[in-house]
Amino acid sequence: MMETKLTTTIHGLFLWFFLLSFFISFTTTRAQSSSPNYVGDDCKNSTEESLTSGFKTNLNSILSWLSSDAATSKGYNHTAIGTATRDAVYGLYDCRGDVTGTFCQFCVSTAASDIVQHCPNRSSAVIWYNYCILRYSNHDFFGNLTITPSWQFPGTKNSTNSTQELQKAETYMQSLIKNATVETNLLYAMGEFNSGGSSGERYGLVQCSRDLTSDQCRQCLNAMLDQVPKCCASKVGWQVLAPSCLIKYDDFMFYKITTSQGPSPSFNS
């Protein structure tokens, strides 16, 4: 009888430890897969400054406001503090078009926390994650088109037919740019097309900071697309971005389908 109870207890403990280990592993994996990934910032070529205590206070207030506002917005907003003083701070966040609510806030909060670590004692800074961008400055940049600095991130896969791949990619991305700036005026668009043969599906996304006009957005996206042949012609996937916009193209679905993104552009390969 004693041995039976002992065996039952051991089995119960074993099952409990197994379930606990599985839960921890599952939670960790899920958190890692959902976490916003750092892409880059514009602070490497700038210099640290002696910031006033007033500016630092306003900056902390701006970053706090942007982080909390992201939870209830439609994925974008901007504000300013101290505009009539020398300690003015202007701040903006913009989440990717398929990201809103809690996860947008998670990305913006991460960016707000990290930007002062990546860019200490800067009067202006930009930081990118795969799901959002955050900017602040001591000058009013709202509505200004900013295409420099820009970053290029070629994928790891080589294309088996780079000339054909690039031609189809550029044509499809142009259709997304038109969709974002002319057909919907949402300033972002995403979609997929079949590249033909054994290559399979391709996925694209274009997005501009939503303080821009459609014309400014189109100019920015075209400037990013013009860089692709120089940086990424031999690759299946790539991403090019600047403070005001980004383009991304790959062979897997890296975005979430949303009902608010408007109709996907048609494209025949």
Side-chain angles (χ1 to χ4, degrees):
M1 186 73 172
M2 196 70 144
E3 292 180 359
T4 302
K5 288 184 177 180
L6 181 60
T7 301
T8 302
T9 302
I10 292 173
H11 285 167
L13 288 172
F14 177 79
L15 179 61
W16 186 84
F17 278 117
F18 173 80
L19 291 174
L20 179 62
S21 299
F22 175 80
F23 175 77
I24 292 173
S25 175
F26 174 79
T27 304
T28 302
T29 301
R30 186 172 182 178
Q32 290 173 343
S33 64
S34 301
S35 297
N37 295 321
Y38 167 78
V39 175
D41 60 64
D42 75 335
C43 306
K44 295 180 177 60
N45 296 320
S46 61
T47 57
E48 294 190 30
E49 306 174 39
S50 179
L51 304 177
T52 66
S53 59
F55 182 87
K56 292 179 180 179
T57 298
N58 288 343
L59 175 59
N60 289 334
S61 297
I62 283 283
L63 295 177
S64 177
W65 185 89
L66 295 176
S67 298
S68 61
D69 183 78
T72 55
S73 75
K74 294 183 179 181
Y76 158 79
N77 214 341
H78 66 268
T79 191
I81 294 178
T83 54
T85 72
R86 67 190 182 104
D87 295 323
V89 182
Y90 302 81
L92 174 152
Y93 71 87
D94 198 4
C95 289
R96 213 169 68 184
D98 58 329
V99 177
T100 56
T102 302
F103 197 68
C104 176
Q105 183 190 33
F106 181 35
C107 187
V108 174
S109 297
T110 301
S113 175
D114 288 353
I115 196 168
V116 292
Q117 305 299 324
H118 285 268
C119 309
N121 300 314
R122 262 72 168 192
S123 59
S124 295
V126 183
I127 193 167
W128 289 269
Y129 289 79
N130 54 336
Y131 295 119
C132 68
I133 182 175
L134 186 143
R135 303 177 62 183
Y136 76 82
S137 178
N138 58 343
H139 298 292
D140 184 359
F141 60 88
F142 304 147
N144 294 336
L145 175 60
T146 309
I147 60 176
T148 57
S150 62
W151 280 259
Q152 305 84 32
F153 299 94
T156 57
K157 295 180 183 178
N158 292 319
S159 174
T160 56
N161 189 336
S162 58
T163 301
Q164 186 179 56
E165 174 85 28
L166 180 61
Q167 183 180 22
K168 291 182 177 181
E170 288 181 315
T171 301
Y172 185 66
M173 297 305 280
Q174 282 289 358
S175 70
L176 287 180
I177 292 173
K178 181 180 179 182
N179 183 262
T181 61
V182 177
E183 296 169 357
T184 68
N185 289 318
L186 291 174
L187 304 189
Y188 72 88
M190 55 197 77
E192 65 180 276
F193 75 97
N194 190 296
S195 59
S198 60
S199 298
E201 299 295 316
R202 294 291 186 267
Y203 304 85
L205 178 146
V206 300
Q207 178 159 348
C208 295
S209 180
R210 283 169 269 188
D211 57 322
L212 300 183
T213 66
S214 290
D215 287 341
Q216 289 174 315
C217 179
R218 182 166 54 254
Q219 181 181 344
C220 188
L221 294 172
N222 282 326
M224 297 304 104
L225 190 57
D226 287 343
Q227 297 184 38
V228 174
K230 304 170 187 176
C231 73
C232 318
S234 63
K235 301 298 182 180
V236 171
W238 32 262
Q239 179 174 227
V240 185
L241 53 88
S244 287
C245 68
L246 68 88
I247 61 173
K248 183 174 173 63
Y249 174 85
D250 223 312
D251 64 347
F252 67 95
M253 185 178 286
F254 53 84
Y255 56 80
K256 296 188 297 182
I257 298 296
T258 67
T259 56
S260 61
Q261 70 188 58
S264 296
S266 59
F267 178 72
N268 296 317
S269 61

